[in-house]
Amino acid sequence: MLKKSLIATAVSALAATVALAAGTTTAAAAKSASAASSSCATSKLALHTPGQLTVATDDPAYPPYFEGNKPANGKGFESAVAYAVAKQLGFGPQKVKWVVEPFDSSYAPGPKSFDFDINEISITKARSQAVTFSTPYYTNPQAIIVYKSSPLAHAKSLAAFKNASIGVQIGTTSLSAVDQVINPKQRASVFNTSNDVVEAFKIHRVDAIVVDYATALYLSSSEISKSTIAGQFIAPGGDNWGLLMKKSSALAPCVDNALAKLKANGTLANLTKRWMSSKVAVPVLK
């Protein structure tokens, strides 16, 4: 009986120890969560300009990401996402300032004139050496635009583009996608801006252009008459877009937290459905 009593006492002591440890762990977790929440309080955010959230994008800013080339109007997918993130960080529309940042300089090393840049910027290992990205807010495939009268409009596979002249914008994942996935015999023609890519196509300097899928939907329906999307395909490793910040930005954990809340409450899905969904049937080419 004495032996059993000792065992029971030992078990009770062990249970108490485990309970104490669990309580300590729970308390520590709660304290950590509280600290994280406190560090993301609006008044404590590490901002480019105190009391103001500075957001960057390129000029011009195209649909469906922005409407009317006016990022500040809240219309378009990326404008809406930026304001949704701002709201989670504690900033109303009047406290958000938009600045212009060219696409190919956004991920260059060095200081930044913004808190985050939203401009269909794909998260890549190379870019992450110089800047910090948020978690993805959108995943986008690539697409090939050709003229409706082109034989390429009826392409059944990516092999059909082996002999085509293809135009892309410098520094984009579209360029990597062309090189690695299509691998045309003639190297892709690289242009400085998206406008230059479109103009080259319009004057028939190239047979086709490769851009992200959402942009292709807009260009083919609104900007380039008599064009069509021959097909879509997945970029190497996927094409995840993130909010770009300066390297090791102290704001990054708070931006990620804001995006996590927008995903959890369905806001991000609703914005994606509203601005990025399409009923156009575009074949997937392999």
Side-chain angles (χ1 to χ4, degrees), residues 57-63 65-76 79-80 83 98:
T57 196
D58 206 346
D59 181 22
Y62 287 113
Y65 318 114
F66 303 93
E67 293 290 330
N69 196 25
K70 296 178 180 179
N73 64 14
K75 297 178 181 179
S79 179
Y83 280 114
W98 288 86

Side-chain angles (χ1 to χ4, degrees), residues 24 37 41 44 55 57 66 71 75 81 88 94 102 108 115-116 135 155 168 197 207 210 238 259 284:
T24 302
S37 175
K44 296 185 178 181
V55 183
T57 196
F66 303 93
K75 297 178 181 179
V81 168
Q88 290 295 325
Q94 71 281 2
D115 293 309
F116 66 75
T135 53
V168 291
V197 176
D207 301 321
V210 173
L259 285 171
V284 176

